[in-house]
Amino acid sequence: MPNIRVSADGATLTLNGRIIDDLVEGDSIEMAPANPNTAHVNGVRPNSVAITNRSDRNVHDLTVRVLKFSEDDTFLNSIRNQEFPEVIEGSLKESFVRDGADAEESWILEQGSITDQPTETKNTQDGNATMQYVIRFRNAVRGL
């Protein structure tokens, strides 16, 4: 069994050339597939099935929460408020150690846009109010 260690602050999100680093301490960035990977069509004969890759299998939703009023909130809000939707390109990279060797996971994020209106969270405990942005990418491919 491999020995894998992931650093708590090992992820780097870059959108349109800007590193997003006004993240909420202890929070996460989420990548969620929007569609299945394959399609199945069953035939009329027993054990007859056609399996194909879906053309939209690499569509992913990225959810990121940034500190409200931060520079990253201002950046993402300005993208959202464009007259015409702004296309977002980027990457999400995470460093890790596997069996004593440094390694990196890398998501290439292509042709994205902010799909949902941002969700606002007011925090009455520690002052870390957040803005949550959801960006849908037409193509998000993971490399190891």
Side-chain angles (χ1 to χ4, degrees):
M1 184 154 180
N3 179 7
I4 299 171
R5 190 175 68 249
V6 179
S7 174
D9 61 352
T12 302
L13 175 63
T14 305
L15 300 174
N16 286 0
R18 178 186 178 88
I19 295 174
I20 305 299
D21 57 9
D22 292 328
L23 305 169
V24 176
E25 185 73 27
D27 202 359
S28 61
I29 299 169
E30 299 166 23
M31 286 290 300
N35 302 309
N37 191 52
T38 59
H40 291 234
V41 177
N42 293 325
V44 293
R45 292 178 300 196
N47 301 323
S48 174
V49 64
I51 301 172
T52 58
N53 285 328
R54 289 178 52 126
S55 61
D56 60 355
R57 69 183 176 273
N58 289 333
V59 175
H60 279 70
D61 291 330
L62 178 136
T63 302
V64 61
R65 286 169 288 281
V66 297
L67 293 170
K68 187 176 177 183
F69 309 124
S70 68
E71 290 182 21
D72 289 334
D73 180 26
T74 301
F75 170 73
L76 291 167
N77 191 60
S78 70
I79 289 174
R80 180 183 73 95
N81 287 331
Q82 297 295 318
E83 182 177 352
F84 300 102
E86 183 172 336
V87 175
I88 301 170
E89 306 284 341
S91 65
L92 177 59
K93 298 180 180 185
E94 185 170 21
S95 300
F96 63 95
V97 177
R98 179 176 46 214
D99 295 330
D102 291 338
E104 182 179 76
E105 171 193 54
S106 180
W107 286 86
I108 303 303
L109 309 173
E110 300 175 318
Q111 303 164 353
S113 67
I114 296 174
T115 55
D116 297 343
Q117 295 292 341
T119 300
E120 178 181 2
T121 303
K122 297 193 181 300
N123 188 318
T124 60
Q125 300 298 313
D126 60 13
N128 286 333
T130 63
M131 294 297 291
Q132 174 178 294
Y133 292 88
V134 177
I135 304 169
R136 176 162 284 184
F137 289 95
R138 167 59 184 98
N139 196 39
V141 179
R142 179 180 181 233
L144 288 174

